[in-house]
């Protein structure tokens, strides 16, 4: 019974919607209630994975993903946020994260049976007295959106390798050391709530005038999330189980579409599966 | 060797517990379903029994053999098993350990300052003649508390009849413990990639705050039985991590029962810690109909609306499917009893023994001050009048 961790790198904008809201943005993304972090619900991930399996291995779809009167073998968690790309005045964007998210990743890796760092990462340099601080590869002041952060030190050792393991593209992974920035949980919460891309979309009639204007919130390209797959019970015959098999299938076909607006090009992810017990390259 | 232990369930993300009713298709376009929280005891025992079986090597799909059923019992009634579960509770992380939290009794009223309802003067109503309905001790018409949880110290004060001494340290609002998280899902038609008609659903999940977990005590768990770490809990295949701790917390009890009027009898409140299914005789004043309770007399009660509780039989075979809904009185329902000196309850639970194995029907005993024990015929005076 092996668990699998799927790293997801957004190749396009992603819109995991929750229907309409009465606020400024008509179609917001799904957010965790307590933290405000955007996420992709487990039901969306499960549906997308089922679609992939039904196309490539249709015989296994019902056993792994269930039917009306029998639950499936694979349990799919929500896709949790790991790295959020944020606009930076100095140079290209920064991949932002915070100590709480890194702690959750370590707990999820332990739950999946993957290797975890022996000592917890030390983020105490972020405790500034009223000042906004950041840990990053550089030594200059960092400007993210319209906020300014004072450099508080280098990234903890081993963090880049741990986070990079979930990014599927080698060149993108190589950029991580230079573009990763860690801010405190409170500061990150502000970016998670307000720094997502909002696009206006329109519908034109034959006279080329607008009949319907609406605003949609999306996760920007290069956002990194991860999903955990677990087996509900051991497979028949002691085989590897549904989670490991789905991870294996995604190794060969690594693109997955999650969320809405598929036919206008949104929701595409590059998947990097990690199965417990296998070597991590 | 068997022992009393405590199972602690920490959700991985959200939880979803349906109340046995189908998705509400009130709007033709969208089907709504709210999650109830906390879950029924039988939901937790189902998940925990599955976790114990998985920990002993069950593959998750086949029927249980004798080695499992002799401890865990067979089917939703736990037939033939020795395991017994207690009333579920919430835990909050405090000072490196867990602090138990209990639902506020239904007789507790107030918002910033609290008081306990108590039996009023006898009056004639549709329940019969000379019925003593609960009254506010200060003559105000305060509403029963909603969405409030008490620490063990807080519950001890309420059970002792000292609700006026409750302050902010003893009470926790439920929105500090969990929040509702609405979600939207749909089914896609594989051929046309459009939404299937009538398959748009909006479940409302429950997300627990950081450091909050569900727990359920268990008795007669044999040594060496360890649960699987991760178990599906509730609907929508939400999962939770299972930990097994040592001694469960003991719910508080009243320190002494106050005398009733002449002193020969005592005033006892019976507060449900988990839902209970009781006979109709418990819904009226008089002697409770159950065996062994004939010494007690029900004087008054604050009972909640009945909860329909069903369940699911997952054994492969003809029995597989939903179980019929039965009405239960919710946790927090309170009875005011007069009992003889030196009385103790004949049984630690109310209702039938099969339900009790799941943790239904557990209660805590308290006391209340009874000032209207000299029963004279009232000549129409306002029962909420002078105290």
């Amino acid at each position: 019974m092996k668990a699998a961790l799927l790293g997801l790198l957004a190749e396009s904008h992603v819109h995991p919607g929750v229907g309409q809201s009465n606020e400024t943005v008509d179609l917001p993304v799904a957010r965790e209630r307590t933290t405000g972090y955007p996420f992709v619900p487990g039901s969306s991930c499960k549906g997308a994975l089922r679609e992939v399996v039904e196309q490539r291995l249709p015989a296994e779809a019902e056993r792994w993903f269930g039917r009306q009167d029998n639950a499936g073998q694979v349990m799919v968690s929500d896709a949790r946020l790991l790295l959020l790309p944020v606009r930076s005045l100095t140079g290209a964007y920064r991949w932002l994260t915070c100590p709480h998210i890194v702690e959750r990743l370590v707990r999820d890796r332990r739950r999946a049976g993957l290797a975890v760092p022996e000592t917890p990462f030390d983020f105490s340099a972020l405790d500034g007295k009223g000042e906004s601080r950041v840990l990053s590869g550089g030594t200059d002041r960092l400007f993210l959106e319209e906020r300014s952060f004072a450099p508080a030190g280098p990234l903890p050792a081993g963090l880049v390798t741990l986070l990079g393991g979930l990014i599927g593209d080698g060149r993108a992974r190589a950029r991580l050391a230079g573009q990763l920035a860690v801010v405190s949980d409170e500061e990150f919460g502000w970016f998670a709530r307000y720094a997502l891309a909002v696009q206006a979309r329109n519908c034109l009639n034959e006279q080329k005038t607008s009949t319907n204007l609406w605003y949609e919130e999306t996760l920007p390209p290069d956002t990194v999330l991860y999903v955990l797959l677990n087996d509900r019970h051991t497979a028949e015959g002691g085989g590897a189980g549904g989670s490991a098999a789905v991870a294996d299938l995604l190794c060969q076909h690594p693109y997955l579409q999650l969320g809405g607006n598929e036919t206008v090009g949104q929701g595409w992810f590059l998947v990097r599966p990690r199965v417990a017990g296998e070597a991590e390259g | 060797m068997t022992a009393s232990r405590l199972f602690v369930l920490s959700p991985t993300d959200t939880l979803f517990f349906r109340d046995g009713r189908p998705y509400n298709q009130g709007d033709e376009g969208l089907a709504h379903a709210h999650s109830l929280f906390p879950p029924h005891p039988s939901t937790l025992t189902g998940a925990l029994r599955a976790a114990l079986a998985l920990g002993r090597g069950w593959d998750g799909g086949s029927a249980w053999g004798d080695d499992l059923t002799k401890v865990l019992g067979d089917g939703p009634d736990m037939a033939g098993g020795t395991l017994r579960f207690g009333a579920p509770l919430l835990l909050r992380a405090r000072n490196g350990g867990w602090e138990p939290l209990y639902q506020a009794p239904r007789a507790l009223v107030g918002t910033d300052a609290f008081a306990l309802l108590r039996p009023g003067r006898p009056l004639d109503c549709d329940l019969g003649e000379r019925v003593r309905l609960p009254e506010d001790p200060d003559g105000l018409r305060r509403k029963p508390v909603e969405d409030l949880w008490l620490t063990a110290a807080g519950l001890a004060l309420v059970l002792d009849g000292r609700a006026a001494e409750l302050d902010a340290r003893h009470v926790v609002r439920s929105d500090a413990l969990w929040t509702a998280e609405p979600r939207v899902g749909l089914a896609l038609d594989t051929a046309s990639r459009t939404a299937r008609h009538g398959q748009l659903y909006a479940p409302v999940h429950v997300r627990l705050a950081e450091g909050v977990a569900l727990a359920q005590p268990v008795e007669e768990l044999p040594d060496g039985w360890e649960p699987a770490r991760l178990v599906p809990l509730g609907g929508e295949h939400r999962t939770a991590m299972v930990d097994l701790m040592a001694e469960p917390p003991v719910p508080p009890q009243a320190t002494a029962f106050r005398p009733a009027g002449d002193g020969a009898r005592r005033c006892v409140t019976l507060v449900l810690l988990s839902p209970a299914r009781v006979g109709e005789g418990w819904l009226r004043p008089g002697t409770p109909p159950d065996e062994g309770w004939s010494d007690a007399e029900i004087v008054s009660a604050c009972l909640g609306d009945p909860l329909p509780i069903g369940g699911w039989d997952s054994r492969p075979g003809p029995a597989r499917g939903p179980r019929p809904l039965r009405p239960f009185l919710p946790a927090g329902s309170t009875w005011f009893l007069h009992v003889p000196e030196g009385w103790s309850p004949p049984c630690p639970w109310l209702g039938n023994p099969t339900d009790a194995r799941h943790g239904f029907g557990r209660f805590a005993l308290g006391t209340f001050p009874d000032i209207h024990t000299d029963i004279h015929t009232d000549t129409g005076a306002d029962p909420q009048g002078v105290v």
Side-chain angles (χ1 to χ4, degrees), chain B:
Chain B
M1 262 295 295
T2 62
S4 294
R5 307 282 289 277
L6 184 72
F7 279 112
V8 178
L9 291 138
S10 317
T12 48
D13 29 60
T14 55
L15 294 173
F16 181 61
F17 301 109
R18 297 238 320 252
D19 55 2
R21 291 186 279 207
Y23 270 75
N24 177 27
Q25 196 85 41
D27 173 355
E28 213 217 46
L30 186 68
H32 254 289
H34 272 265
S35 180
L36 51 85
F37 195 82
H40 302 313
S42 42
T43 313
L44 295 178
T45 57
L48 292 173
R49 286 164 73 213
L52 286 170
L54 287 169
R56 300 289 288 178
W58 176 50
D59 69 341
S62 52
W64 286 353
D66 282 334
D67 55 325
L68 289 175
T69 55
K70 74 175 189 309
V71 172
L72 301 174
D74 188 32
D77 288 337
M78 295 172 65
T82 51
L83 211 61
R84 279 183 294 127
F85 290 92
L89 43 125
L90 276 190
L91 294 179
R92 190 169 58 159
R94 269 267 184 282
N95 306 325
W98 291 108
E99 172 193 42
L101 295 173
Y102 303 93
Q103 263 180 312
R106 294 246 153 201
L108 194 66
V109 294
T111 42
D112 301 309
F114 299 99
L116 206 61
L117 294 178
R118 62 174 183 222
R121 292 184 185 282
L123 38 92
D124 298 339
C125 66
D126 60 334
L127 288 176
E129 293 182 8
R130 311 191 51 70
V131 171
R132 299 181 62 186
L133 297 176
E135 70 169 12
D136 188 312
D138 301 324
L140 307 169
R141 293 188 192 272
R142 284 179 283 196
K143 294 179 63 171
V145 300
E146 278 172 40
D147 306 327
L148 217 62
W149 288 71
L150 302 174
T151 61
L155 184 62
L157 284 176
V158 172
L159 291 175
D160 256 347
R162 291 155 54 196
E165 295 174 42
L166 282 175
D167 59 37
R169 286 171 300 153
H170 304 118
V171 302
V172 185
R173 290 183 52 88
S174 60
D175 52 26
L177 298 170
W178 73 83
T179 48
E181 188 171 294
R183 296 189 176 202
V184 174
L186 50 78
L188 284 182
D189 182 60
T190 28
S192 65
R193 303 290 296 157
T194 52
R196 240 182 256 164
H197 183 68
Q199 299 282 313
L200 186 67
Y201 63 104
V204 180
H205 287 212
V206 165
R207 191 175 282 273
L208 294 188
E210 285 286 319
V212 176
L214 281 165
Q216 190 167 30
V218 63
E219 290 164 37
E220 310 284 340
L221 182 69
D223 279 344
W225 280 59
E226 294 289 328
R229 282 302 328 270
L230 191 77
V231 70
L233 178 63
E236 302 246 325
H237 249 162
R238 301 282 100 190
T239 52
M241 304 278 285
V242 185
D243 285 304
L244 193 54
M245 312 248 120
E247 285 301 316
V250 179
Q253 296 271 78
T255 46
F257 298 135
R258 302 197 189 182
D262 52 359
R265 289 162 75 74
R266 296 271 163 193
C267 297
V268 171
T269 51
L270 195 145
V271 179
L272 284 181
L273 296 173
S274 58
R277 187 168 155 73
V278 295
E280 273 205 36
W282 282 91
L283 306 179
R284 305 172 182 282
T287 310
D290 295 9
E291 210 180 293
W293 290 84
S294 49
D295 289 341
E297 184 205 342
I298 299 174
V299 175
S300 190
C302 296
L303 304 177
D305 289 330
L307 294 172
I309 299 186
W312 180 271
D313 190 337
S314 59
R315 288 175 292 180
R320 186 182 174 84
R323 311 236 303 152
L325 292 175
R326 293 178 301 152
F328 282 72
L329 287 175
S333 299
T334 304
W335 283 270
F336 298 92
L337 308 172
H338 278 167
V339 299
E341 182 85 36
W343 175 87
S344 63
C347 189
W349 61 74
L350 288 185
N352 75 47
T354 312
D355 289 333
R357 312 265 302 287
H358 286 282
F360 287 109
R362 303 300 164 117
F363 54 83
L365 295 179
T367 188
F368 64 96
D370 195 354
I371 63 155
H372 297 301
T373 47
D374 48 339
I375 315 256
H376 299 308
T377 311
D378 260 295
T379 50
D382 184 347
Q384 296 273 7
V386 174
V387 160

Side-chain angles (χ1 to χ4, degrees), chain A residues 134-215:
Chain A
V134 66
L135 299 176
S136 71
T139 49
D140 297 326
R141 219 169 163 76
L142 208 54
F143 294 92
L144 299 170
E145 289 288 330
E146 58 256 28
R147 308 182 62 186
S148 159
F149 290 83
L155 298 161
L159 184 64
V160 172
T161 325
L162 182 73
L163 300 181
L166 296 173
I167 297 180
D169 182 72
R171 304 270 296 260
R173 212 177 310 136
R175 279 191 284 127
L176 185 59
Q179 287 186 267
L180 180 62
V182 184
V183 295
S184 71
D185 297 344
E186 293 77 27
E187 309 277 9
F188 185 83
W190 186 88
F191 287 101
R193 277 189 288 279
Y194 302 118
L196 295 193
V198 176
Q199 283 118 3
R201 289 185 58 185
N202 209 344
C203 191
L204 299 178
N205 63 11
E206 280 171 0
Q207 284 77 38
K208 300 297 183 195
T209 47
S210 165
T211 53
N212 187 16
L213 175 69
W214 75 93
Y215 290 91

Side-chain angles (χ1 to χ4, degrees), chain A residues 17 48 50 66 97 126 184 191 214 264 277:
Chain A
R50 184 178 189 138
T97 189
L126 287 173
S184 71
F191 287 101
W214 75 93
V264 292

Side-chain angles (χ1 to χ4, degrees), chain A residues 120-142:
Chain A
F121 293 109
D122 179 21
F123 293 111
S124 53
L126 287 173
D127 300 332
K129 296 128 188 76
E131 187 190 36
S132 299
R133 291 180 166 200
V134 66
L135 299 176
S136 71
T139 49
D140 297 326
R141 219 169 163 76
L142 208 54

